[in-house]
């Protein structure tokens, strides 16, 4: 029972930290106060200053009425190197490899989410995952390839269709 309690507590704390980091990122972009003594926030601020030329929007609800889904996307930014990208911030308990180097994980489920958001945006920009290390003041990014993103969106549509079939709920165009 204690293991379950501890696991739930860890998940709750991680979710609260993720929300705090997301809120702080919004504050950084809005030039509002944020905790400059927090090493992870200082690292993401440094990353933003070095990599973001402009932000178009943050925390926007995107919808796809054709397929029938919606979600809140972290942002659309102009990246210094990659141009306009859909961005997703991930606070992660990054682990060290055998050499003692931090190695973030870029999970395929991250890409499923980004591919779905991207399909809601005109001009279909590339997608970028930004991992904020919760163990050290480090930030990592991954620009997913077009091929990876297209394949993920095809998979997402199948997952979505299976969910609709299972729930007997079809929010897309065919349900109007």
């Amino acid at each position: 029972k204690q293991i379950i309690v501890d696991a739930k507590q860890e998940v709750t704390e991680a979710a609260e930290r993720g929300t705090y980091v997301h809120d702080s990122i919004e504050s950084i972009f809005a030039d509002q106060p944020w905790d400059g003594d927090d090493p992870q926030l200082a690292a993401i601020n440094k990353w933003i200053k070095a990599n973001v030329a402009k932000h178009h929007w943050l925390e926007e609800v995107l919808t796809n009425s054709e397929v029938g889904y919606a979600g809140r996307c972290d942002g659309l930014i102009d990246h210094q190197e990659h141009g306009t990208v859909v961005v997703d911030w991930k606070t992660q308990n990054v682990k060290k490899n055998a050499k003692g180097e931090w190695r973030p994980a870029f999970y395929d489920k991250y890409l499923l989410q980004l591919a779905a958001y991207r399909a809601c945006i005109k001009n279909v920009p590339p997608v970028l995952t930004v991992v904020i290390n919760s163990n050290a003041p480090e930030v990592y990014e991954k620009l997913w390839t077009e091929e990876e993103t297209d394949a993920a969106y095809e998979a997402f549509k199948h997952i979505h269709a299976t969910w609709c079939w299972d729930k007997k709920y079809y929010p897309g165009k065919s349900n109007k």
Side-chain angles (χ1 to χ4, degrees), residues 6-174:
D6 291 348
K8 286 181 179 179
Q9 179 67 25
E10 188 175 322
V11 168
T12 299
E13 288 173 4
E16 289 172 354
R17 176 67 180 169
T19 299
Y20 176 74
V21 169
H22 274 77
D23 291 347
S24 297
I25 290 169
E26 285 187 74
S27 293
I28 291 168
F29 276 109
D31 288 326
Q32 294 177 347
W34 55 278
D35 183 0
D37 294 330
D38 184 308
Q40 282 75 36
L41 297 182
I44 193 66
N45 180 55
K46 182 178 175 183
W47 182 89
I48 289 168
K49 299 267 186 262
N51 294 288
V52 180
K54 173 184 172 184
H55 75 281
H56 299 271
W57 47 258
L58 300 171
E59 295 297 328
E60 192 79 20
V61 174
L62 303 177
T63 60
N64 185 316
S65 58
E66 176 95 18
V67 177
Y69 64 88
R72 183 177 296 276
C73 181
D74 288 350
L76 185 69
I77 63 170
D78 287 346
H79 189 282
Q80 297 281 13
E81 182 180 346
H82 309 304
T84 302
V85 296
V86 178
V87 66
D88 189 27
W89 319 109
K90 296 292 186 190
T91 304
Q92 188 180 106
N93 182 15
V94 177
K95 306 292 185 200
K96 288 185 177 182
N97 65 12
K99 294 179 182 178
E101 302 165 329
W102 295 108
R103 289 291 176 215
F106 292 95
Y107 299 107
D108 289 341
K109 66 182 179 182
Y110 294 173
L111 182 55
L112 284 173
Q113 180 182 16
L114 280 165
Y117 291 149
R118 176 177 109 143
C120 299
I121 300 172
K122 290 182 181 182
N123 302 324
V124 200
V127 297
L128 181 76
T129 299
V130 177
V131 170
I132 303 152
N133 188 344
S134 60
N135 298 311
E138 296 189 15
V139 177
Y140 320 89
E141 66 178 59
K142 177 175 180 164
L143 182 72
W144 300 87
T145 67
E146 287 295 312
E147 294 79 16
E148 290 171 319
T149 307
D150 290 344
Y153 187 58
E154 288 304 311
F156 173 84
K157 290 189 292 185
H158 290 289
I159 294 165
H160 177 269
T162 302
W163 181 89
C164 290
W165 174 80
D166 182 55
K167 303 297 182 193
K168 307 297 185 255
Y169 177 66
Y170 303 92
K173 211 177 210 182
S174 62

